Amino acid sequence: MWSVDPRTGKRRERVTDEATAPDVDAAVQAAHAALPALADRTTRAAFLRAAAKRLEAAREEIVSTADAESALGEPRLSGELGRTTGQLRAFADEIEDGGYLGVIIDHADATLAPPRPDLRRYKLPIGVVAVYAASNFPLAFSVPGGDTASALAAGCPVVVKAHPDHPATSALCGAALRAAAAESGLPEDVVSVVYGFDAGVELVRHPLVAAAGFTGSVRGGRALYDAAAARPRPIPFHGELGSLNPVVVTPAAVAERAEAIGEGLSGSMTLGTGQFCVKPGLVFVPAGEDGDRMLGTLTERLNAAAPGHLLDDRMREAFLDGVAARSALGPVETPVTPQTGDDGRAVRPGLLTVTADALGDEHELLLEECFGPVTVAVRYGDQSEVEEVLDRLGGSLTATVHLGEAEAAGTDGAATALLARLTPLAGRVLVNGWPTGVAVATAQHHGGPYPATTSTSTSVGATAIERWLRPVVYQDTPGPLLPPELRDDNPLGLPRRIDGRRE
């Protein structure tokens, strides 16, 4: 595997060989053997905190290497590293709290009909987890990212398939995690990194892999999802695939703050050169002068935006080809045409517009994600036209509405109805904001209906740990034989629900 500079297209260094089938088998076997070592919660928490410290200690090298491989810029990547270490520490806290174990005890009760036996439920780690690293977040959604952190927190060893765009960054981060494991008294093989396309296929098929987490394209994710389902023993596949992230701007909102909305949209859709999974890709803009003002500001800001580099040549060509294909659909207009910068490699943002009543079946491409700094503005005359287009959309990670002041105050039911209409489409619904920027918080949900994700879980926030756990119930089991988590005296001091009441 070679490290490549996306700014020049030139190879930087040879990092490692692509993993063979025996290499993948050895990594998974070693991870499986390390599973018992992760059983102690105190050790796991210490491991995650040690990993955060080691990543921070190597900050300069990791950030500069990630920038050379991604062209995302050192300020952005420094912030991403902070997010990554914050996730690791947050999951360490989650381990120590113990609430994620979901301990429920129902004592036997012969007076019920039917009589209830003694039942004690909690959650166990599912086993070895395969993690597929993302291209657009070489730290926070890659080797040391949220999938890895949450799986390790659950007590699951991890084998990461590194993304080909940042092999050197992956090697640095993998080494830091393995060193942290050794420092914490754990086998280094609780985390392994493998490289290469074939390794990813071998990984999802390996009989000892119990679950998988993926962030990437619809095509790649769906292929792996299907492979996971086709196994003799299918496994859960938690995939984040593609997301359009629709935005509805109401007439009242655009009348009150057209320029501010246009400026905000420009910043959101070009953040990270449009390579965020929550980039707003379809925006409903009212017809008329107020909508014209909003799009005028947006056009002005996009024309003034500096060109940026996409993550690799393939993505740049896919972006330019995708915009060209959409622009060729009549009667689509292109107020801002994406193009390459002076170096022939960076790209400038784009804007496409079309009226809602012109969106026929032949325009389905406009209702699919185009990865990169472009959005589609749909001009509408009334709410019924918005409804008709929304009916054609697949699931997204986010859905956003911009409301006027009176609408936000709930003076009539229109805004409530609009939120209710958007809620089935997405996992996160925003009001008067922009979807780029996903806070790492206990209440966060980063997921959505297909094709946004292949499951109902989140990949961000404390509840991401739930993906890597399975529930088990002990019935009428003598106290001395019970796991410590389920004993009446609660020796571990865990939060529990007993006979219907929280302890």
Side-chain angles (χ1 to χ4, degrees):
M1 296 289 293
W2 287 84
S3 175
V4 178
D5 187 339
R7 295 181 176 94
T8 64
K10 295 180 180 179
R11 289 179 172 182
R12 298 179 57 251
E13 60 179 307
R14 191 173 185 279
V15 177
T16 185
D17 293 327
E18 294 192 6
T20 63
D23 293 333
V24 174
D25 178 62
V28 176
Q29 294 279 1
H32 182 70
L35 178 61
L38 284 170
D40 184 74
R41 290 190 300 126
T42 300
T43 301
R44 292 207 309 273
F47 166 39
L48 294 185
R49 293 192 176 105
K53 285 184 179 179
R54 285 187 173 270
L55 290 169
E56 288 172 342
R59 173 183 294 274
E60 185 175 347
E61 185 180 11
I62 289 173
V63 168
S64 63
T65 301
D67 178 51
E69 291 188 313
S70 69
L72 289 172
E74 293 193 5
R76 144 75 196 273
L77 289 164
S78 183
E80 187 181 329
L81 182 60
R83 174 195 178 98
T84 303
T85 57
Q87 287 177 155
L88 289 163
R89 292 189 173 100
F91 279 114
D93 293 343
E94 193 70 12
I95 295 170
E96 290 176 338
D97 174 78
Y100 74 95
L101 291 167
V103 177
I104 303 174
I105 297 175
D106 287 331
H107 291 106
D109 190 340
T111 66
L112 298 176
R116 183 177 71 201
D118 185 271
L119 299 170
R120 296 167 187 247
R121 183 185 195 271
Y122 79 142
K123 297 174 184 176
L124 293 171
I126 198 168
V128 178
V129 170
V131 170
Y132 293 82
S135 62
N136 55 342
F137 284 87
L139 302 173
F141 281 86
S142 294
V143 171
D147 284 354
T148 297
S150 57
L152 291 170
C156 298
V158 174
V159 179
V160 185
K161 204 289 282 186
H163 195 278
D165 279 353
H166 31 81
T169 307
S170 299
L172 285 171
C173 293
L177 295 183
R178 289 172 65 86
E183 175 189 331
S184 306
L186 293 169
E188 289 185 346
D189 290 323
V190 295
V191 181
S192 296
V193 183
V194 296
Y195 302 80
F197 175 84
D198 290 342
V201 177
E202 291 291 335
L203 193 55
V204 80
R205 291 175 176 168
H206 198 287
L208 290 180
V209 168
F214 171 91
T215 302
S217 68
V218 173
R219 181 180 178 183
R222 184 55 192 259
L224 291 170
Y225 174 81
D226 290 345
R231 291 167 41 131
R233 213 176 263 187
I235 60 172
F237 184 88
H238 301 283
E240 180 187 321
L241 311 187
S243 186
L244 192 59
N245 306 306
V247 177
V248 179
V249 182
T250 69
V254 80
E256 292 175 6
R257 54 184 196 281
E259 290 79 9
I261 295 174
E263 185 167 353
L265 175 56
S266 172
S268 184
M269 62 170 279
T270 60
L271 187 65
T273 320
Q275 297 172 113
F276 277 43
C277 51
V278 288
K279 179 204 75 177
L282 187 76
V283 184
F284 294 88
V285 181
E289 293 182 2
D290 293 329
D292 292 344
R293 286 193 294 120
M294 174 192 154
L295 292 182
T297 298
L298 175 61
T299 298
E300 193 177 292
R301 296 294 186 272
L302 294 179
N303 280 325
H309 291 85
L310 295 183
L311 294 162
D312 60 34
D313 289 350
R314 178 182 57 83
M315 292 183 190
R316 183 183 69 251
E317 294 306 317
F319 167 69
L320 294 172
D321 290 347
V323 174
R326 289 163 173 79
S327 301
L329 298 171
V332 174
E333 296 181 0
T334 313
V336 184
T337 303
Q339 53 189 309
T340 55
D342 294 339
D343 65 358
R345 302 188 64 81
V347 298
R348 296 184 180 277
L351 171 64
L352 309 178
T353 63
V354 66
T355 60
D357 59 8
L359 276 173
D361 292 341
E362 68 276 15
H363 294 91
E364 285 302 308
L365 192 59
L366 295 172
L367 307 182
E368 297 176 6
E369 179 185 20
C370 184
F371 192 72
V374 67
T375 197
V376 177
V378 177
R379 305 300 301 269
Y380 69 93
D382 57 43
Q383 185 61 28
S384 66
E385 291 184 338
V386 175
E387 295 282 347
E388 289 175 6
V389 179
L390 290 177
D391 286 340
R392 298 166 59 183
L393 300 187
S396 282
L397 295 168
T398 70
T400 301
V401 59
H402 279 267
L403 303 172
E405 186 175 347
E407 291 172 321
T411 55
D412 59 43
T416 301
L418 182 54
L419 286 173
R421 179 65 186 82
L422 292 174
T423 297
L425 295 176
R428 179 163 58 106
V429 180
L430 297 88
V431 177
N432 291 348
W434 298 104
T436 39
V438 184
V440 180
T442 305
Q444 184 61 272
H445 184 80
H446 188 65
Y450 187 86
T453 57
T454 60
S455 69
T456 59
S457 60
T458 180
S459 60
V460 177
T463 56
I465 197 173
E466 295 173 359
R467 296 173 295 169
W468 321 119
L469 299 165
R470 68 175 186 88
V472 63
V473 172
Y474 288 86
Q475 180 171 325
D476 291 332
T477 303
L481 303 183
L482 286 169
E485 292 86 351
L486 300 180
R487 295 175 185 169
D488 281 332
D489 59 351
N490 195 11
L492 303 180
L494 296 171
R496 308 188 299 179
R497 183 172 177 175
I498 299 179
D499 296 332
R501 296 183 179 182
R502 297 200 178 275
E503 188 181 73

